[in-house]
Amino acid sequence: MNSLPTRDQIDNKYKWRLEDIYENDILWENDIIKVKALLKSIENFKGKIDNPKNLLDILTLQDEINLIAEKVFTYARMRRDEDNSNSYYQSLCDKAMILLSEVKQSLSFIVPEILSISTDKLLSFFEIEKKLEFYRIYIEDLLRRKKHTLSQEEEYILALSSELSNSPNQIFSMFNDADIKFPNIIDENGNEIELTKGRYVQFLKNKDRRVRKDAFYKLYETYAAYKNTISATYSASVKRDIFYAKARKYNSSLEASLDNDNIPISVYDNLIAVVNNHLDLHKRYLNLRREILNLDQLNMYDVYVPLVDDVNVKIKYEDASNIVIESIKPFGTEYMEVVKQAFNSSWIDVYENRGKTSGAYSWGCYGVHPYILLNYQDSLDDVFTLAHEMGHSMHTYYSYKNQPYIYSDYSIFVAEVASTLNEILLTNYLLNNFDDEKQKLYIINHYLDEFRATVFRQTMFAEFEKITHESLEQGIPLTTETLCNIYFDLVKKYFGDVTNVNEQIAFEWMRIPHFYRAFYVFKYATSFSAATSLSVEILNGNSDAIKKYLNFLSSGSLKYPIELLKDAGVDMNTPKPIESAMKVFEEMLNKFEKLLKFR
């Protein structure tokens, strides 16, 4: 039986080197002690921020505390992600989360005290203390959100609740990454294989429909067995979002979420409206999929299998690394050299092992290079995932390199632009370097599936989040039945008419970790659209466009995300980027149909 390896069975060359953050756990403990000492010193500033010198000093100290505390948490969480069943690193992660809560509580008086100073007086501080100019962007953003900032006592209470408020995320993560176990299935060769979340997508791409169906049913049977627990956990997450929105006097949890980045609700609504207006394209592609697979009826377990036969694209990790390096050549030599360094210097944790966090991400802490977590399975999808996460890492690298700590953490709204643009460049590279017509069809098929998953699917997720939050805000309880009905109705809207919407798909929302980070997923779709617009000039070798893009990567949070994208050449305040992306999808769909016709 082909079981997952344990962590110590993975070759070290395929593991990241977290020692670049802390050489050992003793140094990690020392930083906890240091943060706690700094927190004691910050008490001296309470009630004394109403002069320029003290304001500068406390903001500088706040940066130092946050920087070290984030480093402490990042290391502990990434250690836990290596094996979520490791009780030692579970403990370290819990300890780091407690520290973050203590930091939040101790610093909670700063913003209310700053905002208790009259706006005119506060702005005059810039003239008196020239070094405060460094914090102008930060202070002006505080003034923008002044009406949503509470009194010092109220902010302290909210800070006290921060550790508790993370419970739904933590409970789901431990359940989904450590506790849940799936049954074995029989593969197309008669071998008994353990079903895992990492292998599930590969099973759905299997040419043997029986394997796809078995994986689909067994996965959702497993989640359904825990439906009440997961529903209660998700409902608690939504209640948390609503609580904080109400506490800060927002009209809705959606408004509260978007306001952090100063993004109008119209951007969210534009996405849903434009995608809904183009669902005919989605269904046209699904119907084409049914015809190519020669099925009387398309089922939900048929929507991932590649449509091009006899193209067994298996790509070893080392080959994938070289492909990614070649694909990003348009960005220039410096960019390529950093990517090579990432591959050669243990920035990446490559293979799945028992207990490892599922999926993929790029993460890190200021002052250290970024890291990438993968669960690489030798598929073309995994090459795209590698390119995607490398885009995130390069955005982080350039932001950290060019911005001070306080402005280095770019907004989530723009976070998916770099990753998606990397995927578009990879698609272009593969189409230009795969000579075989069937291989080109395979790449176009992959692009269409990526578009479907990134734009159509993530927008469906965004609708789910909007409906669930609005339902609870209107007093409608989020029971298991309610949640499953909401999700099932959305799937019917997006897939119906041309697809048999199997009733088990009603449980799919239960396995989506992004739902515990509310209103995040819509940014995949908006970012895909922005990246599509940016890619045209970059692929044409427009040096000015490339320069603007690299400047965008280097800008961190110096401006609001909408403005950063405008500077790069995309206006997300309008539906145009989403509509342009739909045109590209239609063009690729036309090209796919044309190639099929003349084969």
Side-chain angles (χ1 to χ4, degrees):
M1 185 164 59
N2 190 2
S3 298
L4 279 177
T6 57
R7 181 73 182 173
D8 58 4
Q9 291 174 321
I10 302 290
D11 193 313
N12 284 335
K13 69 180 180 180
Y14 298 118
K15 298 178 185 177
W16 54 25
R17 178 181 158 79
L18 297 186
E19 288 81 0
D20 292 348
I21 304 177
Y22 289 107
E23 189 62 40
N24 54 59
D25 294 347
I26 295 174
L27 295 176
W28 179 85
E29 292 278 1
N30 289 342
D31 262 359
I32 289 185
I33 295 169
K34 183 176 181 179
V35 168
K36 292 191 173 186
L38 290 171
L39 289 179
K40 289 181 180 178
S41 67
I42 210 163
E43 293 290 320
N44 299 325
F45 287 93
K46 281 189 175 180
K48 302 175 184 176
I49 302 182
D50 62 345
N51 74 75
K53 177 65 168 61
N54 282 355
L55 178 57
L56 175 64
D57 288 345
I58 198 169
L59 290 180
T60 304
L61 183 56
Q62 178 179 243
D63 282 354
E64 183 181 5
I65 291 169
N66 281 330
L67 190 157
I68 301 172
E70 286 176 13
K71 183 180 177 184
V72 164
F73 175 71
T74 302
Y75 175 82
R77 178 54 193 264
M78 291 174 74
R79 280 295 188 200
R80 196 190 83 178
D81 285 344
E82 294 176 343
D83 181 359
N84 283 274
S85 65
N86 185 314
S87 59
Y88 175 72
Y89 284 116
Q90 285 180 18
S91 174
L92 258 63
C93 190
D94 289 344
K95 193 171 181 179
M97 289 178 67
I98 292 170
L99 180 71
L100 286 183
S101 181
E102 290 174 1
V103 167
K104 197 169 185 178
Q105 293 167 34
S106 296
L107 302 183
S108 64
F109 76 92
I110 296 175
V111 171
E113 276 204 31
I114 293 173
L115 293 179
S116 69
I117 305 168
S118 72
T119 301
D120 289 342
K121 182 178 179 181
L122 185 58
L123 293 176
S124 73
F125 285 0
F126 293 115
E127 297 299 320
I128 301 168
E129 176 55 76
K130 300 300 182 183
K131 290 182 180 178
L132 262 179
E133 190 64 34
F134 179 81
Y135 289 101
R136 179 181 286 275
I137 296 172
Y138 170 78
I139 290 172
E140 288 182 346
D141 188 53
L142 291 183
L143 290 172
R144 177 184 69 83
R145 292 187 286 165
K146 186 172 184 176
K147 65 180 179 180
H148 301 296
T149 303
L150 309 181
S151 69
Q152 181 177 328
E153 292 79 11
E154 290 167 328
E155 287 291 341
Y156 179 73
I157 292 171
L158 289 186
L160 279 175
S161 70
S162 62
E163 185 182 353
L164 180 65
S165 73
N166 194 53
S167 295
N169 312 46
Q170 195 173 10
I171 292 167
F172 179 77
S173 177
M174 295 309 296
F175 166 78
N176 203 43
D177 293 320
D179 290 343
I180 193 169
K181 294 292 184 288
F182 301 97
N184 299 328
I185 70 168
I186 306 299
D187 70 9
E188 68 277 17
N189 298 315
N191 300 314
E192 188 175 0
I193 305 290
E194 180 184 7
L195 176 62
T196 68
K197 295 189 299 295
R199 290 171 176 168
Y200 175 65
V201 175
Q202 297 308 311
F203 285 134
L204 286 191
K205 293 178 180 178
N206 197 296
K207 287 294 182 182
D208 188 325
R209 199 180 193 202
R210 193 269 309 159
V211 173
R212 302 199 300 269
K213 183 177 180 181
D214 284 355
F216 177 87
Y217 276 91
K218 287 186 181 294
L219 185 94
Y220 289 119
E221 282 171 7
T222 305
Y223 276 103
Y226 301 96
K227 61 184 180 182
N228 295 314
T229 298
I230 302 174
S231 296
T233 305
Y234 178 66
S235 179
S237 181
V238 177
K239 288 175 182 176
R240 172 200 60 199
D241 300 333
I242 294 171
F243 166 76
Y244 283 112
K246 285 183 176 179
R248 295 200 176 281
K249 303 178 176 66
Y250 286 100
N251 295 315
S252 68
S253 48
L254 175 59
E255 181 187 48
S257 176
L258 299 185
D259 190 52
N260 285 331
D261 292 328
N262 199 21
I263 295 170
I265 290 178
S266 59
V267 173
Y268 198 99
D269 291 340
N270 280 340
L271 171 68
I272 293 174
V274 173
V275 170
N276 272 257
N277 288 338
H278 291 82
L279 287 179
D280 59 319
L281 283 175
H282 186 228
K283 292 176 181 179
R284 175 183 155 195
Y285 174 55
L286 291 170
N287 194 52
L288 178 64
R289 168 175 284 278
R290 180 190 63 77
E291 292 175 359
I292 294 171
L293 293 175
N294 195 28
L295 299 173
D296 292 332
Q297 189 176 54
L298 192 73
N299 281 280
M300 296 305 298
Y301 48 80
D302 298 318
V303 298
Y304 291 98
V305 60
L307 299 179
V308 184
D309 290 328
D310 304 321
V311 179
N312 187 20
V313 181
K314 288 284 185 182
I315 303 174
K316 295 295 183 185
Y317 173 71
E318 286 76 9
D319 295 329
S321 304
N322 292 327
I323 289 170
V324 170
I325 290 169
E326 289 299 312
S327 71
I328 48 90
K329 270 186 177 178
F331 293 141
T333 303
E334 180 192 345
Y335 188 103
M336 287 181 67
E337 288 304 314
V338 179
V339 172
K340 289 177 183 178
Q341 182 184 351
F343 286 123
N344 296 327
S345 304
S346 300
W347 292 16
I348 305 170
D349 204 80
V350 180
Y351 293 115
E352 186 178 17
N353 59 254
R354 189 171 297 279
K356 183 177 176 180
T357 292
S358 61
Y361 67 64
S362 170
W363 198 23
C365 51
Y366 191 80
V368 183
H369 61 77
Y371 287 91
I372 294 173
L373 178 140
L374 299 173
N375 284 277
Y376 195 83
Q377 302 275 341
D378 292 349
S379 74
L380 184 60
D381 268 1
D382 291 315
V383 184
F384 275 90
T385 298
L386 176 58
H388 180 102
E389 299 304 336
M390 189 59 72
H392 283 309
S393 288
M394 293 304 292
H395 196 170
T396 299
Y397 173 85
Y398 274 100
S399 286
Y400 283 4
K401 180 182 178 183
N402 292 283
Q403 299 302 328
Y405 168 74
I406 191 170
Y407 303 126
S408 64
D409 188 16
Y410 50 85
S411 158
I412 294 173
F413 185 77
V414 298
E416 297 300 333
V417 173
S419 54
T420 305
L421 186 50
N422 266 25
E423 288 195 64
I424 293 171
L425 264 62
L426 177 59
T427 298
N428 180 75
Y429 173 81
L430 293 174
L431 284 175
N432 288 333
N433 287 275
F434 277 15
D435 296 325
D436 184 83
E437 192 176 80
K438 189 177 289 186
Q439 290 179 327
K440 288 181 183 291
L441 277 169
Y442 188 95
I443 298 302
I444 297 173
N445 174 203
H446 183 275
Y447 174 84
L448 293 171
D449 280 339
E450 282 296 301
F451 191 104
R452 184 191 65 76
T454 307
V455 180
F456 289 109
R457 180 174 166 82
Q458 299 300 330
T459 303
M460 184 180 77
F461 286 171
E463 281 204 72
F464 176 76
E465 289 191 286
K466 192 170 189 285
I467 294 170
T468 55
H469 282 74
E470 287 178 349
S471 295
L472 201 52
E473 285 166 345
Q474 294 164 11
I476 302 171
L478 295 180
T479 64
T480 300
E481 184 180 8
T482 300
L483 289 165
C484 288
N485 286 342
I486 290 170
Y487 194 83
F488 190 70
D489 288 344
L490 283 170
V491 177
K492 283 195 293 185
K493 180 170 74 169
Y494 278 73
F495 289 82
D497 302 330
V498 296
T499 309
N500 175 38
V501 181
N502 309 79
E503 62 182 23
Q504 289 75 17
I505 203 67
F507 301 112
E508 184 179 43
W509 66 269
M510 294 183 181
R511 71 182 186 92
I512 310 299
H514 288 84
F515 287 158
Y516 294 85
R517 194 176 185 178
F519 306 114
Y520 177 94
V521 294
F522 92 101
K523 297 163 189 175
Y524 285 111
T526 53
S527 292
F528 193 101
S529 304
T532 300
S533 297
L534 292 170
S535 68
V536 176
E537 294 301 320
I538 289 172
L539 287 171
N540 285 335
N542 184 322
S543 58
D544 186 53
I546 294 169
K547 183 178 178 181
K548 283 182 178 180
Y549 175 70
L550 294 178
N551 185 62
F552 161 78
L553 293 184
S554 304
S555 296
S557 56
L558 277 180
K559 292 183 179 181
Y560 293 121
I562 293 286
E563 294 173 14
L564 288 174
L565 286 174
K566 261 187 186 177
D567 289 346
V570 182
D571 187 359
M572 296 305 298
N573 280 309
T574 72
K576 186 178 178 181
I578 317 293
E579 291 169 346
S580 297
M582 289 296 169
K583 288 179 182 176
V584 173
F585 179 78
E586 186 173 17
E587 289 168 2
M588 292 292 273
L589 185 54
N590 292 340
K591 184 183 289 188
F592 190 64
E593 290 173 336
K594 187 176 180 180
L595 280 170
L596 283 170
K597 187 180 295 184
F598 289 102
R599 279 184 63 197

